[in-house]
mmCIF file of all heavy atoms in Angstrom:
data_model
loop_
_atom_site.group_PDB
_atom_site.id
_atom_site.type_symbol
_atom_site.label_atom_id
_atom_site.label_comp_id
_atom_site.label_asym_id
_atom_site.label_seq_id
_atom_site.Cartn_x
_atom_site.Cartn_y
_atom_site.Cartn_z
ATOM 1 N N ASN K 1 13.887 35.524 -4.861
ATOM 2 C CA ASN K 1 13.003 36.553 -4.300
ATOM 3 C C ASN K 1 12.216 37.252 -5.415
ATOM 4 O O ASN K 1 11.012 37.505 -5.293
ATOM 5 C CB ASN K 1 13.874 37.566 -3.528
ATOM 6 C CG ASN K 1 13.045 38.456 -2.631
ATOM 7 O OD1 ASN K 1 11.865 38.217 -2.416
ATOM 8 N ND2 ASN K 1 13.664 39.495 -2.115
ATOM 9 N N PHE K 2 12.911 37.545 -6.525
ATOM 10 C CA PHE K 2 12.274 38.152 -7.700
ATOM 11 C C PHE K 2 11.124 37.257 -8.200
ATOM 12 O O PHE K 2 10.015 37.734 -8.469
ATOM 13 C CB PHE K 2 13.320 38.348 -8.814
ATOM 14 C CG PHE K 2 12.746 38.639 -10.171
ATOM 15 C CD1 PHE K 2 12.363 39.926 -10.528
ATOM 16 C CD2 PHE K 2 12.593 37.625 -11.112
ATOM 17 C CE1 PHE K 2 11.835 40.195 -11.794
ATOM 18 C CE2 PHE K 2 12.065 37.883 -12.373
ATOM 19 C CZ PHE K 2 11.688 39.168 -12.708
ATOM 20 N N CYS K 3 11.407 35.945 -8.323
ATOM 21 C CA CYS K 3 10.381 35.000 -8.815
ATOM 22 C C CYS K 3 9.156 35.009 -7.906
ATOM 23 O O CYS K 3 8.019 35.020 -8.390
ATOM 24 C CB CYS K 3 10.959 33.583 -8.899
ATOM 25 S SG CYS K 3 12.200 33.404 -10.189
ATOM 26 N N HIS K 4 9.385 35.017 -6.586
ATOM 27 C CA HIS K 4 8.255 35.047 -5.647
ATOM 28 C C HIS K 4 7.443 36.332 -5.828
ATOM 29 O O HIS K 4 6.212 36.306 -5.829
ATOM 30 C CB HIS K 4 8.753 34.949 -4.202
ATOM 31 C CG HIS K 4 9.340 33.601 -3.858
ATOM 32 N ND1 HIS K 4 8.874 32.426 -4.400
ATOM 33 C CD2 HIS K 4 10.356 33.249 -3.017
ATOM 34 C CE1 HIS K 4 9.576 31.403 -3.925
ATOM 35 N NE2 HIS K 4 10.482 31.883 -3.092
ATOM 36 N N LYS K 5 8.155 37.458 -5.994
ATOM 37 C CA LYS K 5 7.450 38.754 -6.084
ATOM 38 C C LYS K 5 6.609 38.880 -7.345
ATOM 39 O O LYS K 5 5.550 39.497 -7.317
ATOM 40 C CB LYS K 5 8.469 39.906 -6.006
ATOM 41 C CG LYS K 5 8.950 40.138 -4.582
ATOM 42 C CD LYS K 5 9.790 41.382 -4.436
ATOM 43 C CE LYS K 5 10.051 41.654 -2.954
ATOM 44 N NZ LYS K 5 11.004 42.738 -2.738
ATOM 45 N N VAL K 6 7.103 38.318 -8.467
ATOM 46 C CA VAL K 6 6.338 38.441 -9.720
ATOM 47 C C VAL K 6 5.482 37.187 -9.981
ATOM 48 O O VAL K 6 4.938 37.010 -11.067
ATOM 49 C CB VAL K 6 7.257 38.729 -10.938
ATOM 50 C CG1 VAL K 6 7.982 40.048 -10.757
ATOM 51 C CG2 VAL K 6 8.242 37.589 -11.200
ATOM 52 N N LYS K 7 5.389 36.313 -8.936
ATOM 53 C CA LYS K 7 4.557 35.095 -9.014
ATOM 54 C C LYS K 7 4.969 34.187 -10.178
ATOM 55 O O LYS K 7 4.124 33.656 -10.914
ATOM 56 C CB LYS K 7 3.071 35.451 -9.099
ATOM 57 C CG LYS K 7 2.569 36.151 -7.844
ATOM 58 C CD LYS K 7 1.090 36.472 -7.910
ATOM 59 C CE LYS K 7 0.546 36.952 -6.577
ATOM 60 N NZ LYS K 7 1.275 38.061 -5.967
ATOM 61 N N LEU K 8 6.290 34.050 -10.349
ATOM 62 C CA LEU K 8 6.836 33.162 -11.379
ATOM 63 C C LEU K 8 7.218 31.836 -10.701
ATOM 64 O O LEU K 8 8.083 31.832 -9.822
ATOM 65 C CB LEU K 8 8.071 33.816 -12.021
ATOM 66 C CG LEU K 8 8.892 32.988 -13.002
ATOM 67 C CD1 LEU K 8 8.056 32.569 -14.201
ATOM 68 C CD2 LEU K 8 10.115 33.792 -13.484
ATOM 69 N N PRO K 9 6.575 30.721 -11.053
ATOM 70 C CA PRO K 9 6.918 29.442 -10.400
ATOM 71 C C PRO K 9 8.381 29.074 -10.628
ATOM 72 O O PRO K 9 8.935 29.347 -11.700
ATOM 73 C CB PRO K 9 5.992 28.424 -11.084
ATOM 74 C CG PRO K 9 4.947 29.235 -11.777
ATOM 75 C CD PRO K 9 5.555 30.556 -12.095
ATOM 76 N N ILE K 10 9.012 28.475 -9.622
ATOM 77 C CA ILE K 10 10.416 28.041 -9.750
ATOM 78 C C ILE K 10 10.440 26.530 -9.943
ATOM 79 O O ILE K 10 9.995 25.771 -9.070
ATOM 80 C CB ILE K 10 11.230 28.439 -8.499
ATOM 81 C CG1 ILE K 10 11.244 29.967 -8.341
ATOM 82 C CG2 ILE K 10 12.659 27.898 -8.594
ATOM 83 C CD1 ILE K 10 11.829 30.455 -7.020
ATOM 84 N N ILE K 11 10.927 26.090 -11.098
ATOM 85 C CA ILE K 11 11.041 24.648 -11.353
ATOM 86 C C ILE K 11 12.136 24.084 -10.460
ATOM 87 O O ILE K 11 12.001 23.012 -9.874
ATOM 88 C CB ILE K 11 11.351 24.375 -12.847
ATOM 89 C CG1 ILE K 11 10.208 24.914 -13.724
ATOM 90 C CG2 ILE K 11 11.580 22.891 -13.106
ATOM 91 C CD1 ILE K 11 10.460 24.854 -15.217
ATOM 92 N N GLY K 12 13.252 24.815 -10.331
ATOM 93 C CA GLY K 12 14.331 24.371 -9.462
ATOM 94 C C GLY K 12 15.638 25.072 -9.781
ATOM 95 O O GLY K 12 15.716 25.888 -10.708
ATOM 96 N N VAL K 13 16.655 24.719 -8.990
ATOM 97 C CA VAL K 13 17.982 25.339 -9.116
ATOM 98 C C VAL K 13 18.979 24.280 -9.603
ATOM 99 O O VAL K 13 18.947 23.131 -9.155
ATOM 100 C CB VAL K 13 18.446 25.919 -7.756
ATOM 101 C CG1 VAL K 13 19.880 26.450 -7.839
ATOM 102 C CG2 VAL K 13 17.496 27.022 -7.299
ATOM 103 N N VAL K 14 19.861 24.688 -10.523
ATOM 104 C CA VAL K 14 20.933 23.811 -11.020
ATOM 105 C C VAL K 14 22.263 24.374 -10.543
ATOM 106 O O VAL K 14 22.531 25.569 -10.710
ATOM 107 C CB VAL K 14 20.924 23.763 -12.568
ATOM 108 C CG1 VAL K 14 22.145 22.993 -13.089
ATOM 109 C CG2 VAL K 14 19.639 23.132 -13.080
ATOM 110 N N GLU K 15 23.088 23.515 -9.924
ATOM 111 C CA GLU K 15 24.444 23.944 -9.538
ATOM 112 C C GLU K 15 25.401 23.554 -10.655
ATOM 113 O O GLU K 15 25.680 22.370 -10.869
ATOM 114 C CB GLU K 15 24.861 23.283 -8.214
ATOM 115 C CG GLU K 15 26.209 23.808 -7.725
ATOM 116 C CD GLU K 15 26.595 23.247 -6.364
ATOM 117 O OE1 GLU K 15 26.165 23.819 -5.351
ATOM 118 O OE2 GLU K 15 27.314 22.216 -6.327
ATOM 119 N N ASN K 16 25.902 24.564 -11.365
ATOM 120 C CA ASN K 16 26.801 24.347 -12.502
ATOM 121 C C ASN K 16 28.257 24.439 -12.023
ATOM 122 O O ASN K 16 28.533 25.023 -10.985
ATOM 123 C CB ASN K 16 26.510 25.406 -13.569
ATOM 124 C CG ASN K 16 26.963 24.990 -14.944
ATOM 125 O OD1 ASN K 16 27.215 23.814 -15.189
ATOM 126 N ND2 ASN K 16 27.062 25.933 -15.850
ATOM 127 N N MET K 17 29.181 23.866 -12.819
ATOM 128 C CA MET K 17 30.622 23.902 -12.482
ATOM 129 C C MET K 17 30.858 23.352 -11.071
ATOM 130 O O MET K 17 31.623 23.901 -10.283
ATOM 131 C CB MET K 17 31.176 25.321 -12.610
ATOM 132 C CG MET K 17 30.858 25.975 -13.941
ATOM 133 S SD MET K 17 31.638 27.588 -14.126
ATOM 134 C CE MET K 17 30.552 28.360 -15.334
ATOM 135 N N SER K 18 30.187 22.257 -10.779
ATOM 136 C CA SER K 18 30.197 21.679 -9.426
ATOM 137 C C SER K 18 31.290 20.617 -9.324
ATOM 138 O O SER K 18 31.045 19.428 -9.519
ATOM 139 C CB SER K 18 28.821 21.067 -9.157
ATOM 140 O OG SER K 18 28.767 20.522 -7.887
ATOM 141 N N GLY K 19 32.510 21.044 -9.033
ATOM 142 C CA GLY K 19 33.618 20.094 -8.910
ATOM 143 C C GLY K 19 34.203 19.723 -10.260
ATOM 144 O O GLY K 19 33.558 19.860 -11.303
ATOM 145 N N PHE K 20 35.440 19.258 -10.254
ATOM 146 C CA PHE K 20 36.141 18.833 -11.475
ATOM 147 C C PHE K 20 36.888 17.536 -11.181
ATOM 148 O O PHE K 20 37.695 17.470 -10.250
ATOM 149 C CB PHE K 20 37.131 19.913 -11.930
ATOM 150 C CG PHE K 20 38.063 19.451 -13.027
ATOM 151 C CD1 PHE K 20 37.579 19.225 -14.303
ATOM 152 C CD2 PHE K 20 39.404 19.222 -12.769
ATOM 153 C CE1 PHE K 20 38.434 18.790 -15.319
ATOM 154 C CE2 PHE K 20 40.265 18.791 -13.780
ATOM 155 C CZ PHE K 20 39.771 18.579 -15.061
ATOM 156 N N VAL K 21 36.600 16.490 -11.944
ATOM 157 C CA VAL K 21 37.290 15.207 -11.774
ATOM 158 C C VAL K 21 38.415 15.135 -12.800
ATOM 159 O O VAL K 21 38.158 15.206 -14.010
ATOM 160 C CB VAL K 21 36.323 14.018 -11.930
ATOM 161 C CG1 VAL K 21 37.067 12.697 -11.783
ATOM 162 C CG2 VAL K 21 35.189 14.102 -10.911
ATOM 163 N N CYS K 22 39.651 15.021 -12.320
ATOM 164 C CA CYS K 22 40.809 14.945 -13.218
ATOM 165 C C CYS K 22 40.709 13.672 -14.058
ATOM 166 O O CYS K 22 40.570 12.578 -13.503
ATOM 167 C CB CYS K 22 42.098 14.938 -12.401
ATOM 168 S SG CYS K 22 43.557 14.613 -13.407
ATOM 169 N N PRO K 23 40.769 13.793 -15.406
ATOM 170 C CA PRO K 23 40.632 12.596 -16.251
ATOM 171 C C PRO K 23 41.778 11.600 -16.066
ATOM 172 O O PRO K 23 41.631 10.420 -16.362
ATOM 173 C CB PRO K 23 40.610 13.161 -17.672
ATOM 174 C CG PRO K 23 41.136 14.550 -17.573
ATOM 175 C CD PRO K 23 40.903 15.027 -16.179
ATOM 176 N N LYS K 24 42.944 12.075 -15.531
ATOM 177 C CA LYS K 24 44.089 11.166 -15.366
ATOM 178 C C LYS K 24 44.097 10.497 -13.992
ATOM 179 O O LYS K 24 44.108 9.282 -13.872
ATOM 180 C CB LYS K 24 45.398 11.927 -15.604
ATOM 181 C CG LYS K 24 45.579 12.297 -17.076
ATOM 182 C CD LYS K 24 46.931 12.898 -17.359
ATOM 183 C CE LYS K 24 47.049 13.190 -18.853
ATOM 184 N NZ LYS K 24 48.226 13.988 -19.163
ATOM 185 N N CYS K 25 44.089 11.324 -12.925
ATOM 186 C CA CYS K 25 44.216 10.736 -11.586
ATOM 187 C C CYS K 25 42.863 10.451 -10.928
ATOM 188 O O CYS K 25 42.801 9.820 -9.879
ATOM 189 C CB CYS K 25 45.060 11.631 -10.680
ATOM 190 S SG CYS K 25 44.236 13.185 -10.265
#
């Protein structure tokens, strides 16, 4: 909403810490 109000283009959204795959199982 802030980006829209100040006319800052949004390149996109990144979802971080998205799931964890156990290295063993």
Side-chain angles (χ1 to χ4, degrees):
N1 194 11
F2 166 83
C3 291
H4 291 326
K5 283 188 171 172
V6 298
K7 296 182 170 53
L8 173 61
I10 298 171
I11 299 173
V13 175
V14 173
E15 185 176 275
N16 202 17
M17 309 185 204
S18 181
F20 170 70
V21 179
C22 172
K24 290 187 178 170
C25 69

